Amino acid sequence: STLPAVAEELLREIKKAFQETSQVPDDLLLGLKFIFGPTAVPALDLVDQRSVTRVRSPSGRILYQVLGSSGKLYTCYSSCHFCTCPAFGFSVLQKSESLLCKHILAVYLSQALGACQELAVSEEQLTNILLAEEEDEG
Amino acid sequence: LCRGGLAERLCRLQNRERSAISFWRHQCLSDDKIPSDKSSVLIVRILEIVEECTIQVAICQQLDQSPATLSPEDAVINAEEPILKVLFTRETAAHLKSRPQDVIHIYPPWQKLLLQNADVPVIMNTYFSQKVLCSEHSEAREKTYGLTKMLIRKNIISLAQTFRLDDVDDKLHQESSDNQVPCAPQTHNNGDSKRHPSALSAVNDSLLEMVESQGAVGWREVQVQVIIQRVYCLPAREGYRSHTQGNKPLCAAPVTNSDPPNVRLCLLVQDAYGMFSEVQLQSLSSTDDIEQYCRRWEGKSCCLAGMKILQRTTRGRALGLFSLIDSLWPPVVPVKVPGQSQDSEMMTTNLPPPSFCYILTVQSGEIHVEVDEEEQISNLYQPPAVHGLKEILWTDGCNKRCSFWAQVLYQRLQTKHSVPTDQREMLLFVTDSTLQNVVHGIPKVVAVSVTASCVLSMEIMEALSAGSRLVFFKDALWGNGRIICVERTVLLLQKPLLCSAAGADLSELTGPVRLDELDSTTQASSVCALRGTVVGVNESTAFSWPTCNRCGNGKLEVCPQDRELLYCNQCSEVVTTPVLKMQLEVFLSCPSRSQGTVKVKVWHEITLFVLLTRLLFLQTYEVQSVLGKEVGLLNCYIHSITSHPNCVVLEEIVLL
């Protein structure tokens, strides 16, 4: 498949450009729009609002929590593309229409732009976050 | 969308692009001629099409010139021609209806992307594409397009295929750092002496600029000069407030009694542009320093460096913070306007109050806050405006911050045994000369509620228990007829050096404190004075019972080991000096409460070693001896008041 490699390269270019000039050039922003379609602007908005937190436990486990626009907190995994939001379930999983949901894209963009908030928690707290999501689904 | 943010910028770019695309397409339809600039037109022949997440990936051969000039016999795939992967969005693909062997002209501005581990370049931004038809085959091909579309293979992307944004070098570097790993690679040595301003870059005076440059190279060295408007403590849970929106708090573990006080020292700072920010500093080991910090730091300027943004909060989400900001608005000196030159300043009369505020915190490790204590108080500083209680009670409005200097007469802890100590609420009954000297219309004593979120120093707690004290209430909240102390309210034992008295009479109280007498307007949870004549005693409801002197538990048990001793389950200890509580219903005729007699339920505490001589009749239970006796003037705390039946439940109290 081609698209993931393209998306990855685009995000790397954004990271590089931002580190060198502390700005994101217009053409890369438009590239985001081209590849990710309607997800791009909402994801950037989440980054503007500093909604992404990288949660880390002492053993090195990482997950991401994104504060959605409705005030709900979504959990995104770091080892595979997964998000607890309904859009992910529909557009990515069911219809395979999108590569990512806006929350996962916001996680990548926050990484690239150094806009992640950091939170260190205990193992137990991390477990609670992950398992709490399961309770919600059920 | 955030003003000036990336999302807003992309929206603008996208709108422009969309206009350009529809204009271009319209032009192509109406005008067969290919637009003149041929030099950057990409000509490709599609070999194979695959669909990935609605994007069409066309593997193409790049052609030197349009095949319209070649004969059909020449249309053979030449292995020498370079291969490209051209991406089309769903919309462009629908417009083109392309299939293998089609020739597409792609007009600028297209973008080329070179992937790391692949030789085939990728072409993006292909909105301006046009299919070139070889006229002989056109009709037949159009008819069979629908079939072709169904045959385009759809690639399902694996979820396990994540994106790696770091290079190998970066990753190693990050793993060798401490627990709290920043997202941007650390290219600066934290050992650099940040305490010497000369070693750092020029001092900035805009908080907004500092915040917006976060993550950029060198932002850690950027210093911002601000003035400290307020110093206060917040319970540590507030530090995670940004993540308690929605259903669950991030940190589920409650604060236990044995932990050291979980409070963080915070500053409310303001920059030269009038913008506010709350800076959360380190956890305090002892809350006793808060008064010192207030004295030494409020009004002084300080330099912030290497701050981390915890949250960008808005008025709707942080009412407490914004009520404090509103009390400091408008600024007392003109503030700068962003974007204009240094010299031009703006009058502050018409500036709207801020609608957002950044909450910053220090990076782990060094504290990057330097307060210049020797310097003079800044002109921008607004000390708390002190008012008399009378004036405050007569103020209109809701959720306004107010400061006052008052004598605390009585303290009541609202302890419920199920609630942990750190979530205690407290009622303080206060007065000042403005209330004491008035005859009618306002109460003589006011109840101030202190919630658990208001951090009290040990000094204050001890002082309040020890005796009547004059306390300075800084930035309490007034609204709905009540004064409450919430987070960001500070109680101090000394009046601050600088405070605008606003004409309030801050003189000490002369003479004994007077409470309002019990009357028809008395409410529950208040204090009042009581006097009357005993006209009857309800003997059938009189009883007494021992309670634990430590926790107040009324259900003591007899010790199994020694039946003479009492045992408290809640404390798990023997109670050696139980407090005897008595309940008695007495009918008083009170001159101040004129509807017939008042049935007064007296809850009385007597320890076995102290006898109260005022209510003599409780010692003897001899009704005859007390009828007609005058009672009063007693100070009481009202538990409840009902008018039907006309009953007041109260408890005699001792004022501080």
Side-chain angles (χ1 to χ4, degrees):
Chain A
S1 53
T2 311
L3 208 56
V6 175
E8 181 182 65
E9 184 56 35
L10 184 62
L11 289 165
R12 278 167 162 270
E13 300 242 323
I14 288 177
K15 178 175 176 178
K16 199 158 74 122
F18 188 77
Q19 280 178 355
E20 284 165 13
T21 68
S22 57
Q23 290 213 42
V24 181
D26 286 352
D27 61 332
L28 290 181
L29 285 182
L30 285 171
L32 274 180
K33 179 74 193 162
F34 180 80
I35 297 291
F36 294 108
T39 312
V41 169
L44 283 171
D45 188 40
L46 288 171
V47 177
D48 287 336
Q49 307 242 24
R50 294 286 186 279
S51 309
V52 176
T53 304
R54 189 165 143 192
V55 181
R56 192 185 175 106
S57 72
S59 63
R61 268 186 240 284
I62 291 180
L63 58 82
Y64 292 92
Q65 287 211 311
V66 184
L67 187 61
S69 35
S70 56
K72 196 156 187 281
L73 210 55
Y74 296 107
T75 301
C76 302
Y77 297 170
S78 55
S79 51
C80 71
H81 287 164
F82 184 83
C83 176
T84 51
C85 73
F88 181 82
F90 186 74
S91 298
V92 179
L93 291 180
Q94 203 175 323
K95 294 260 165 184
S96 294
E97 271 180 357
S98 301
L99 206 53
L100 309 172
C101 67
K102 66 183 177 189
H103 306 109
I104 305 178
L105 183 54
V107 168
Y108 280 121
L109 288 170
S110 298
Q111 285 176 9
L113 304 177
C116 277
Q117 311 222 28
E118 294 286 344
L119 186 64
V121 300
S122 69
E123 294 301 340
E124 192 189 339
Q125 286 165 335
L126 196 94
T127 311
N128 286 339
I129 297 170
L130 288 168
L131 295 183
E133 301 296 340
E134 282 190 22
E135 278 174 37
D136 246 2
E137 317 297 345
Chain B
L1 293 182
C2 286
R3 196 167 38 98
L6 291 167
E8 193 196 44
R9 184 145 68 98
L10 179 53
C11 262
R12 268 186 281 124
L13 291 169
Q14 169 195 314
N15 289 338
R16 239 185 281 161
E17 196 176 55
R18 241 183 291 183
S19 312
I21 294 168
S22 55
F23 177 72
W24 188 86
R25 295 227 174 115
H26 183 78
Q27 200 179 39
C28 285
L29 284 174
S30 57
D31 179 1
D32 261 331
K33 280 197 172 20
I34 297 164
S36 49
D37 179 16
K38 285 197 185 162
S39 55
S40 44
V41 178
L42 202 56
I43 305 177
V44 298
R45 175 189 277 134
I46 296 182
L47 302 176
E48 190 192 329
I49 304 177
V50 160
E51 192 182 296
E52 290 179 12
C53 294
T54 77
I55 299 250
Q56 269 201 0
V57 179
I59 300 180
C60 305
Q61 199 174 27
Q62 186 174 4
L63 304 176
D64 275 340
Q65 45 183 327
S66 175
T69 60
L70 303 168
S71 63
E73 288 79 32
D74 294 324
V76 176
I77 293 173
N78 187 343
E80 308 273 336
E81 305 275 7
I83 299 286
L84 299 171
K85 274 188 187 171
V86 181
L87 305 183
F88 297 104
T89 59
R90 172 167 36 191
E91 202 215 9
T92 313
H95 175 79
L96 290 176
K97 297 191 178 58
S98 37
R99 10 169 13 171
Q101 296 309 311
D102 278 348
V103 174
I104 310 285
H105 285 217
I106 305 171
Y107 291 86
W110 45 267
Q111 281 185 34
K112 188 194 282 201
L113 199 67
L114 291 166
L115 300 180
Q116 293 232 327
N117 297 323
D119 323 324
V120 181
V122 173
I123 309 293
M124 300 181 4
N125 261 53
T126 53
Y127 301 107
F128 306 91
S129 300
Q130 200 181 31
K131 183 156 65 174
V132 174
L133 295 169
C134 307
S135 46
E136 303 94 64
H137 307 288
S138 55
E139 266 183 52
R141 300 183 97 213
E142 286 300 317
K143 281 200 192 113
T144 54
Y145 175 71
L147 187 62
T148 311
K149 188 163 190 328
M150 275 166 49
L151 295 177
I152 294 177
R153 187 177 88 236
K154 213 169 144 170
N155 266 354
I156 305 294
I157 311 290
S158 162
L159 295 176
Q161 191 164 8
T162 53
F163 306 148
R164 292 248 105 107
L165 298 190
D166 328 304
D167 297 323
V168 178
D169 295 338
D170 276 2
K171 274 217 103 186
L172 285 178
H173 204 284
Q174 280 187 19
E175 277 162 14
S176 63
S177 322
D178 290 335
N179 224 359
Q180 270 213 321
V181 177
C183 286
Q186 278 187 306
T187 53
H188 308 286
N189 182 5
N190 268 343
D192 281 345
S193 51
K194 292 202 186 306
R195 296 199 168 271
H196 300 293
S198 53
L200 303 174
S201 60
V203 176
N204 207 340
D205 61 359
S206 165
L207 280 167
L208 194 58
E209 243 179 74
M210 180 193 80
V211 156
E212 290 181 339
S213 67
Q214 281 262 314
V217 171
W219 68 270
R220 243 179 262 265
E221 275 81 44
V222 172
Q223 286 190 94
V224 184
Q225 178 121 17
V226 292
I227 77 122
I228 300 175
Q229 289 283 8
R230 293 288 185 269
V231 178
Y232 44 82
C233 285
L234 287 180
R237 279 174 289 128
E238 287 261 349
Y240 293 130
R241 192 49 76 90
S242 60
H243 299 289
T244 57
Q245 311 266 0
N247 308 348
K248 333 181 199 322
L250 202 55
C251 297
V255 175
T256 59
N257 295 351
S258 53
D259 287 348
N262 266 322
V263 292
R264 301 187 88 168
L265 187 63
C266 300
L267 312 174
L268 184 67
V269 301
Q270 190 176 25
D271 69 7
Y273 294 85
M275 180 159 145
F276 287 95
S277 178
E278 183 175 83
V279 182
Q280 298 190 352
L281 300 179
Q282 79 276 26
S283 292
L284 284 183
S285 54
S286 132
T287 46
D288 286 343
D289 305 329
I290 179 69
E291 188 143 359
Q292 282 294 309
Y293 282 115
C294 285
R295 259 186 146 30
R296 283 160 43 194
W297 283 10
E298 279 192 2
K300 304 268 168 53
S301 72
C302 88
C303 270
L304 305 173
M307 295 280 118
K308 199 168 69 163
I309 301 173
L310 200 58
Q311 189 189 8
R312 178 189 185 273
T313 190
T314 52
R315 190 169 278 274
R317 287 186 191 178
L319 292 174
L321 174 59
F322 278 88
S323 67
L324 185 58
I325 289 178
D326 286 346
S327 71
L328 298 166
W329 196 263
V332 287
V333 293
V335 291
K336 290 189 188 170
V337 176
Q340 296 190 6
S341 72
Q342 297 294 331
D343 298 326
S344 71
E345 292 185 337
M346 199 163 113
M347 286 311 293
T348 57
T349 44
N350 291 326
L351 280 179
S355 57
F356 68 93
C357 177
Y358 281 98
I359 300 186
L360 309 173
T361 185
V362 286
Q363 300 282 357
S364 62
E366 292 179 47
I367 298 171
H368 306 283
V369 174
E370 299 231 5
V371 182
D372 196 344
E373 293 182 20
E374 303 307 312
E375 237 193 61
Q376 291 201 347
I377 303 285
S378 162
N379 290 337
L380 192 54
Y381 175 55
Q382 287 195 49
V386 181
H387 295 277
L389 283 169
K390 180 169 112 180
E391 207 180 318
I392 292 173
L393 293 180
W394 275 355
T395 308
D396 272 332
C398 200
N399 282 333
K400 283 194 158 27
R401 293 274 176 174
C402 58
S403 301
F404 54 92
W405 176 242
Q407 181 144 356
V408 178
L409 303 173
Y410 180 62
Q411 173 189 345
R412 197 158 183 101
L413 278 170
Q414 323 268 63
T415 47
K416 292 186 186 118
H417 300 301
S418 54
V419 169
T421 320
D422 69 315
Q423 289 183 29
R424 50 97 189 108
E425 280 212 5
M426 197 161 75
L427 272 185
L428 296 177
F429 292 90
V430 305
T431 189
D432 67 359
S433 51
T434 64
L435 292 186
Q436 287 287 305
N437 295 337
V438 172
V439 179
H440 281 310
I442 44 170
K444 291 198 167 59
V445 172
V446 157
V448 173
S449 173
V450 180
T451 64
S453 58
C454 173
V455 176
L456 298 179
S457 65
M458 288 309 292
E459 221 182 9
I460 283 271
M461 300 281 274
E462 280 165 13
L464 289 177
S465 330
S468 172
R469 283 305 301 261
L470 281 162
V471 174
F472 185 67
F473 292 78
K474 184 172 73 148
D475 298 319
L477 209 58
W478 158 252
N480 291 333
R482 292 172 57 221
I483 301 179
I484 47 174
C485 296
V486 290
E487 74 272 2
R488 301 185 181 84
T489 304
V490 185
L491 271 62
L492 302 165
L493 289 177
Q494 291 183 32
K495 245 190 295 193
L497 291 171
L498 275 186
C499 53
S500 54
D505 179 10
L506 301 176
S507 56
E508 300 259 330
L509 293 174
T510 51
V513 169
R514 293 187 312 280
L515 302 183
D516 290 311
E517 276 192 45
L518 177 73
D519 66 11
S520 50
T521 64
T522 307
Q523 309 218 321
S525 303
S526 67
V527 296
C528 70
L530 177 71
R531 100 169 101 213
T533 316
V534 180
V535 296
V537 173
N538 191 349
E539 288 182 90
S540 59
T541 57
F543 62 96
S544 66
W545 69 102
T547 61
C548 173
N549 58 319
R550 276 178 301 265
C551 69
N553 177 16
K555 298 189 175 77
L556 298 182
E557 296 171 0
V558 177
C559 254
Q561 294 90 358
D562 181 346
R563 302 201 71 82
E564 304 241 326
L565 291 177
L566 295 171
Y567 183 82
C568 173
N569 269 335
Q570 300 213 358
C571 302
S572 307
E573 283 183 28
V574 169
V575 183
T576 45
T577 49
V579 173
L580 194 65
K581 282 204 172 158
M582 302 176 80
Q583 184 175 295
L584 189 63
E585 278 179 3
V586 174
F587 297 96
L588 291 188
S589 148
C590 299
S592 54
R593 205 170 151 97
S594 51
Q595 306 103 319
T597 55
V598 172
K599 182 166 86 167
V600 174
K601 250 193 196 158
V602 183
W603 284 6
H604 206 81
E605 288 182 15
I606 317 175
T607 64
L608 290 177
F609 306 107
V610 173
L611 293 173
L612 275 148
T613 53
R614 282 193 197 178
L615 289 171
L616 290 169
F617 56 91
L618 288 174
Q619 280 182 314
T620 59
Y621 284 133
E622 278 209 19
V623 180
Q624 299 318 111
S625 62
V626 301
L627 285 180
K629 271 253 180 351
E630 298 261 336
V631 173
L633 201 59
L634 305 176
N635 294 325
C636 304
Y637 173 76
I638 310 283
H639 284 272
S640 65
I641 291 197
T642 51
S643 41
H644 300 291
N646 200 348
C647 177
V648 179
V649 178
L650 51 76
E651 173 187 325
E652 187 188 352
I653 60 174
V654 179
L655 295 183
L656 292 172

